[in-house]
Structures are given as C-alpha cells and as structure tokens.
Amino acid sequence: MSAQITEPAGSTAPLPKSHAQLTWWLAAGIVGADIGTSVFYSTGVLFPHVGFAAPFFILLVAIAMWLFKATYQEGTAVTPINGGAYTMLLQTVGRRAGLVVGSLTILSYLATGVVSALSGAYYLSSLWPAGSWPTWLVVVVAAIPILGFAFLNMIGIKESAKLVFGFASFHFLLLLVIDVWGLWVSLTHGADWGRLGHGLTNLAPQGALLGFAAAFLGITGFETAAQIVEELERPTWRAIQKIYLTIVVLVSITAPISSMLCLTLLSDTDLALYKDNLLSGLAKAVGGQPLLYILVIDACLTLFAAVNTAYAGATGLMTTMGKQGNLPSVVLRKWTRQVPMFKGYPFVALPFMVLSLLILLALPGSVNQLGEVYGMAFLAVMVSYSLGVILLRLFQPHKIARAPYLSRWVAKLGGKQVPLAAICGGSLLVLSEVVLVITSQEARNLGIQLFLAV
C-alpha cells in the first residue's frame, strides 16, 4: 500500500534535537492509551445496532486503520509541524478553515479528557455495590487525573509519557492474555460460534449503516501523533511509522478477537448483565473474580491515562496556534524561572485543565452524549487531515518533492498523483460523520454549544 522514498539531496535539514524529545515508544504509549480504551465500549455500542455481527464491523475498522496509517505517515512527513489537521488546512485552504478545524480539535480533546476521566471513575466504582457511589464522589475521582496530568505535563513531557507508557503496555499485555486465554477456553469448553453467522444473516440495512458509523468511534485518538510530531525523536517520519505500525497491529489483533470472545462465550443473561462493560463479563468468564478485578483496575488506569493523551494533543496544537498568532502569546510562557522543575508544557495546560474541570462539573451525567460529541468532532478532524494531505499533493509540489516519505498507492488527477489512502479513508469517515450527525440529535445540539464556546 505504501513505501518509503529516499530523501532527496536538496531537502531541508532535520530540526535540532530538544531536551523534551520523545522516543517513538513513549509516543506510542500516549496514542495507545486513548485508542486502547475503545475495547471497553465498542462492542457494547455496536451490539444494539448490529447484534452478534459487531466483531465484523470492528474488523472492518481495523482494516481501515491501515489507510489512516498511510495518510498520517505522509502528512507528518510532508509537514512535520505540531497541529495535525489545523496545520494541514491552514497551509492548503486558509486561516479561517484552519481555525474552525483547530476549534473542533480542541473540542475533541476536551471531550475525550472529560469522558475518559468520568469513565475511569465509573469503572472504579463498579468494584463497590451498584449505586453506592454518589455523583459528587465520581466527579472528585474523575478530577484527579485532570489535575494530576496538568501539573505532570508542566514538570516534563517525558515524565507524563513514561507513566502513561506503563499503563498502556500493561493494558495491551492484559488484552493479549485475555484473548489467548479466551480462545483456549472456547476451544476446550465450547463457544457459540453460530451466533456470529446468524448475526450477519439477520443484519438489517439501517442497523448496518448505524453500526458502520459507530464502529469508527473505536479509533478515537488516532490523530494524536500528528499533534506532537515536533516532540519526537529524529527522523520524525520514521518515528511516526513505528508509532502507527505498533498501534495498528495491536488494535487489529486485540479489538476484533476481544469482541468475538465477548459475544461467543457470554450467555444471554451475562450479555444483559454486562451490556455496558462486556469486557468485564469476558474477564470473569475466563478467569473468574480475580481477573475481573484486575481488568477493572486496568480499565480505570488506562482511561485515566487517556486524559494525558488529551493534554498532549491539545497542548501541541495550541502552542502551534500561539506561535502563529492565532492564540494569545501568553499560552507559550513557562514557569521555569519561578518554578525550575516546571520545564514541560507551557501555561496552555492550565486553561485546558480549567475548561475540562468546568465541563466535568456541568455534565457529570452526560458521559454518553459527551462521547458522541467527541466522536463527531474526532471524525471531522480526521476528514480534514485527509483533505489536507490530498490538497498538499495537488497544490504544493515543492513540499511533496522534499518529503522523505510518500504513499505509492496513488491515482492520477489532472496530471498529478493523489494518495488513494487519503481518498478512501476520508470517504469512509465522511459517511460515518454524516450518519452520526443525522441520528444523534442530543449529542449534535450539545456539540454545537460546546463548539461555539470553544
């Protein structure tokens, strides 16, 4: 689908190294902490629409991720600047389009930070009897990662990345253990594999369309590497390749298998009991109560780690906007002189923290609506990035000529080559976005209000 191209002799020299430079595996932990949480909810979200066919839709999205991988590798190689879709449209369409997409991106990170913090708190509360945690306690627990990662990022980017890498590594290792264990149980004790076939044959067209759109919420956080490309080890295009290869392979293996095992090993009674946390039901079915407790703790920590992904993505974007005069320059200041240990992200982490806490206090019971808002904003951002990559190919040949990596899967358009990965992937995302906007009225209205506020 894609291949590297050797860097031409006249290309620009790589950017100088900085003390804040992230290795590719630390950055993969930041990205994986967010996208890795999708396994906790994706099957449950899809099941009402597509029933036992849910694993096939998750597999479809896993395949589509290879298109997005090629698109983001090319985009960051051509323009190795923080900002993602904002930077792409700023260079190709103009300032107004860039600011709209920048606002959507900030909204998506605010939503993911709050949703991840709340979801982690609710997962932790599941260790106690149902309803024993009042709403105020959930809010207090959810505020801990929002506050903690704000100050940890101001101390240093690597400090927060190392912590998150530990959480993400344990999470994917646990998923692989559960998947292998679950496959062994299904082969030795039996599983209802016929459910999957019946799910496909009984699939209604409307349900399939809604399921297709909802399935793409399982890759939220995919774009974050493009927001922190300037922090990566050199050469950045090679680091991006390693990041996305690792994440795509891990998610392509764990997400479909986990979904399949949930729906083939759990009884109808268990499916109803664990409808909001099917992976917990799978852990209990495979390893009993001890594995269930381990999974719940893992879910809490991984969801809390996804809050750091929101900080990393938002601050990378907002510092770029500040450098370009599209945000007040005060966001670029640091407290290093006053507090020497604060040598990480600048002031911009503080307003992001305050906004996140305000949303948390205002909407503690709106996790589902906020999650849908996040999904809509996220899909719009990824569509914008795909569009930016296409426009760079068409109208900025000087940048394309010196890029160290380009996708070779292309089509001819007006005598120029256009990347098919961006076209195909972007088209799938547009369809999903349209379906979500039309069918999710409450989330659409809430999203418009939050977007105007941003």
Side-chain angles (χ1 to χ4, degrees), residues 349-374:
L350 291 179
F352 187 83
M353 178 191 73
V354 171
L355 288 173
S356 298
L357 290 174
L358 289 175
I359 295 175
L360 174 65
L361 292 172
L363 303 167
S366 302
V367 177
N368 292 336
Q369 288 81 7
L370 275 173
E372 291 178 346
V373 169
Y374 170 35

Side-chain angles (χ1 to χ4, degrees), residues 12-311:
T12 56
L15 296 174
K17 293 186 177 182
S18 68
H19 70 281
Q21 196 174 60
L22 293 175
T23 60
W24 71 266
W25 48 273
L26 284 177
I30 294 174
V31 178
D34 191 356
I35 197 171
T37 62
S38 64
V39 72
F40 295 120
Y41 60 80
S42 54
T43 304
V45 169
L46 287 172
F47 191 77
H49 302 303
V50 301
F52 291 98
F56 297 103
F57 285 82
I58 293 174
L59 179 61
L60 173 66
V61 172
I63 295 172
M65 279 198 296
W66 292 92
L67 299 174
F68 308 137
K69 171 182 175 291
T71 300
Y72 275 82
Q73 284 178 188
E74 176 167 328
T76 51
V78 175
T79 307
I81 301 173
N82 289 355
Y86 158 79
T87 300
M88 285 291 177
L89 289 196
L90 187 71
Q91 294 182 66
T92 56
V93 179
R95 183 171 179 269
R96 290 182 180 179
L99 290 177
V100 169
V101 174
S103 299
L104 275 173
T105 309
I106 293 170
L107 171 60
S108 74
Y109 283 122
L110 284 170
T112 192
V114 175
V115 168
S116 298
L118 276 172
S119 299
Y122 279 118
Y123 249 101
L124 186 61
S125 71
S126 68
L127 294 177
W128 281 261
S132 61
W133 275 36
T135 301
W136 68 264
L137 182 56
V138 173
V139 171
V140 169
V141 173
I144 293 174
I146 294 176
L147 291 165
F149 279 116
F151 289 102
L152 192 57
N153 274 296
M154 286 192 293
I155 292 173
I157 302 169
K158 285 185 178 179
E159 283 71 13
S160 62
K162 288 176 181 177
L163 178 62
V164 168
F165 175 78
F167 291 157
S169 298
F170 177 77
H171 169 67
F172 280 108
L173 179 61
L174 179 63
L175 286 182
L176 290 172
V177 170
I178 291 176
D179 288 345
V180 172
W181 198 346
L183 288 172
W184 180 82
V185 170
S186 68
L187 293 174
T188 56
H189 294 75
D192 193 354
W193 299 102
R195 284 176 167 180
L196 303 181
H198 292 312
L200 280 177
T201 55
N202 297 325
L203 193 59
Q206 183 178 358
L209 188 61
L210 291 171
F212 174 82
F216 279 93
L217 300 181
I219 58 170
T220 50
F222 192 91
E223 83 295 342
T224 302
Q227 309 291 354
I228 58 173
V229 64
E230 292 180 47
E231 322 299 337
L232 299 178
E233 61 183 347
R234 316 301 184 213
T236 56
W237 67 274
R238 182 73 74 183
I240 289 288
Q241 280 188 325
K242 294 177 181 178
I243 291 168
Y244 280 126
L245 179 62
T246 302
I247 296 302
V248 171
V249 168
L250 284 173
V251 175
S252 297
I253 293 172
T254 57
I257 293 178
S258 297
S259 177
M260 176 186 67
L261 292 173
C262 285
L263 298 184
T264 56
L265 289 179
L266 298 182
S267 65
D268 291 336
T269 302
D270 288 335
L271 289 174
L273 179 63
Y274 293 101
K275 61 184 178 67
D276 295 324
N277 51 349
L278 288 173
L279 201 63
S280 296
L282 175 63
K284 187 175 182 181
V286 170
Q289 203 71 23
L291 187 58
L292 171 61
Y293 288 146
I294 293 173
L295 179 79
V296 170
I297 297 299
D298 168 66
C300 174
L301 294 177
T302 307
L303 286 162
F304 283 175
V307 176
N308 184 68
T309 306
Y311 274 106

